[in-house]
Amino acid sequence: MGYTIQDLQIELSAAAEDIDKYIRLNKIKVGKNGSLSVKSYQTLLDLFSDEDSKVNTKKNDKPIYVLNGNKVKVKQKPFFESEDERVSIFHNDAISFLKELPPNSVDIIITDPAYSGMNQRLKLGSGKIIGKYSDAGKDGAKWFEEFHDTEENYKAFLEQCYRVLKNNRHIYIMFDSYSLLSLAPVAREVFEVKNVICWDKANIGLGHYFRRRHEFILFASKGRKPLNSKSIPDVWKIKRVVSSQYPTQKPTEVFELMLKGSAEKDFVVCDPFLGSGSSAIAALKSNCKFLGCDISDKSIAFSKERVNQFLKTKIDIYQKKSLLGDDEAMTKLFLNGKSK
Ligand SMILES: C[S@@+](CC[C@H](N)C(=O)[O-])C[C@H]1O[C@@H](n2cnc3c(N)ncnc32)[C@H](O)[C@@H]1O
């Protein structure tokens, strides 16, 4: 799937002749009917956004949202913004939300999509795959929407992730076994996939044939960026959240480890499938800023309360204790090399 010059015009609110000028000057290949490859589209966005940061643009009529000096212009209004402006949460669909972010504006994406494939393909026995998935809604209604992860949708999602991520930065995407088999090849078309990490949940959960004890995390980059540490293993032993109040709530430590690998102070962390807000808490614990969204009103209300309480009290109301497993390497990482 590619783009057209018209897509660029819409994205940049730029005149066709300005875009033409950049295409000629930079010898960018344009296909029939003005079609552009993903790479050419990205190059043109980069050229325009560089220009944008040098000259104060004529685009000031669009609402501009500023994240503590590190400017991230967002066309939509957040559902919640913390008083210190370090956390912003939006109520939106992941792809629409990403489309509203400027190109090259976030430093790291850490996310855990609600794949529909798993439920469609894994209807075994009662068909109930995710514990408590439907318990909380009235009359068996689901707690949250699933992201319709057809290859086409998934590619559109990843292309938006690529567009908003700065150059030489990392992305971490969580996968169950089924979506890893079907969708990870799509990720390889867009990003440079570097590794697949195994999250070992320490205790077995539900599942037919073999009971599930793990999930995967795909680690990829846009450009080159070394990890912050060479001693992080690719199996992470972190216990699951039990009796969570939001289904599929993940331990903050899973996201904290992603940030230990790739983040720097004040990095803008983005999670377009926010859920209970675990990634937002991990970002705050790692001295980063955070932009996130979710399609569910329960998720954003939950996350707002969790973030607000954490900012006031430093207590994470939905995960009160550490879930680190009894793995020496992991413990060392969390203690920054010091002993207990
Ligand atoms: C697996 S959960 C994320 C759990 C989260 N990592 C946590 O620790 O709580 C996936 C989330 O994606 C949200 N979601 C589903 N479809 C979406 C869409 N199209 N856009 C944005 N969010 C969506 C669901 O509402 C759900 O909260």
Side-chain angles (χ1 to χ4, degrees):
M1 200 180 76
Y3 291 93
T4 61
I5 294 182
Q6 212 187 5
D7 293 332
L8 252 186
Q9 263 183 280
I10 296 167
E11 178 65 41
L12 297 163
S13 320
E17 53 273 29
D18 286 342
I19 294 176
D20 259 5
K21 191 179 80 190
Y22 277 84
I23 288 176
R24 271 186 281 108
L25 284 175
N26 296 284
K27 298 192 174 117
I28 287 172
K29 276 192 193 157
V30 179
K32 273 186 199 160
N33 308 324
S35 64
L36 293 165
S37 66
V38 175
K39 202 167 165 201
S40 306
Y41 179 80
Q42 185 62 42
T43 309
L44 283 161
L45 282 179
D46 290 351
L47 289 166
F48 267 83
S49 67
D50 283 355
E51 200 61 24
D52 226 20
S53 47
K54 278 184 229 137
V55 192
N56 192 8
T57 74
K58 318 137 214 167
K59 297 186 210 151
N60 282 347
D61 50 330
K62 287 181 186 160
I64 289 180
Y65 177 69
V66 177
L67 257 180
N68 247 10
N70 187 353
K71 282 183 192 157
V72 174
K73 292 179 250 168
V74 178
K75 294 176 200 163
Q76 55 199 301
K77 280 223 173 349
F79 161 78
F80 164 72
E81 185 187 343
S82 63
E83 267 174 34
D84 62 1
E85 295 183 353
R86 293 184 77 82
V87 177
S88 301
I89 291 172
F90 297 81
H91 189 198
N92 207 343
D93 157 71
I95 298 180
S96 315
F97 164 72
L98 291 167
K99 278 188 172 166
E100 301 272 303
L101 298 184
N104 306 315
S105 56
V106 309
D107 289 290
I108 178 166
I109 297 174
I110 53 176
T111 197
D112 169 28
Y115 297 109
S116 57
M118 185 176 179
N119 281 319
Q120 279 159 14
R121 283 176 221 130
L122 261 185
K123 287 224 158 83
L124 301 167
S126 68
K128 206 171 168 189
I129 302 301
I130 305 172
K132 291 196 170 176
Y133 181 62
S134 58
D135 291 0
K138 278 187 193 153
D139 306 323
K142 287 178 184 169
W143 249 85
F144 54 68
E145 295 275 325
E146 291 155 342
F147 172 62
H148 293 290
D149 53 1
T150 57
E151 284 184 19
E152 200 186 13
N153 254 1
Y154 199 63
K155 190 152 187 217
F157 163 66
L158 291 175
E159 282 175 349
Q160 285 306 319
C161 290
Y162 189 90
R163 190 185 66 77
V164 303
L165 195 62
K166 290 183 189 164
N167 282 321
N168 303 322
R169 292 292 193 267
H170 293 157
I171 176 166
Y172 292 81
I173 310 172
M174 300 187 64
F175 279 96
D176 54 73
S177 316
Y178 273 76
S179 43
L180 186 83
L181 287 171
S182 57
L183 297 174
V186 181
R188 297 185 84 176
E189 288 173 30
V190 180
F191 284 100
E192 278 183 51
V193 175
K194 303 287 189 197
N195 206 346
V196 177
I197 296 158
C198 176
W199 165 29
D200 174 359
K201 303 180 181 184
N203 298 306
I204 53 170
L206 299 174
H208 286 70
Y209 302 116
F210 298 99
R211 307 259 306 261
R212 265 180 274 282
R213 208 183 104 166
H214 74 284
E215 271 181 48
F216 293 111
I217 301 161
L218 185 130
F219 166 60
S221 76
K222 171 176 174 181
R224 283 161 184 250
K225 177 175 164 53
L227 280 173
N228 292 340
S229 159
K230 288 195 173 132
S231 52
I232 308 181
D234 62 1
V235 176
W236 297 354
K237 194 164 179 188
I238 299 166
K239 290 176 235 163
R240 64 179 83 238
V241 180
V242 281
S243 316
S244 61
Q245 290 173 56
Y246 191 87
T248 76
Q249 179 184 335
K250 303 298 183 298
T252 58
E253 286 85 351
V254 170
F255 295 108
E256 282 179 75
L257 265 175
M258 301 176 193
L259 298 176
K260 277 193 189 291
S262 304
E264 292 163 31
K265 186 172 179 290
D266 290 335
F267 257 27
V268 176
V269 177
C270 177
D271 181 357
F273 293 95
L274 182 61
S276 66
S278 298
S279 54
I281 299 292
L284 289 172
K285 286 187 173 173
S286 313
N287 294 317
C288 291
K289 296 163 193 165
F290 184 83
L291 279 180
C293 93
D294 201 290
I295 208 163
S296 139
D297 46 4
K298 291 191 190 84
S299 150
I300 54 171
F302 206 91
S303 301
K304 174 182 170 180
E305 188 194 7
R306 191 172 177 190
V307 165
N308 254 338
Q309 288 294 332
F310 185 81
L311 286 170
K312 275 189 213 141
T313 61
K314 290 275 170 278
I315 293 169
D316 177 1
I317 51 170
Y318 292 120
Q319 190 195 317
K320 295 215 170 93
K321 58 175 194 190
S322 162
L323 291 170
L324 219 50
D326 54 354
D327 182 293
E328 216 178 307
M330 294 287 95
T331 311
K332 255 194 185 162
L333 270 166
F334 274 85
L335 294 168
N336 295 324
K338 294 175 211 139
S339 50
K340 262 190 197 171

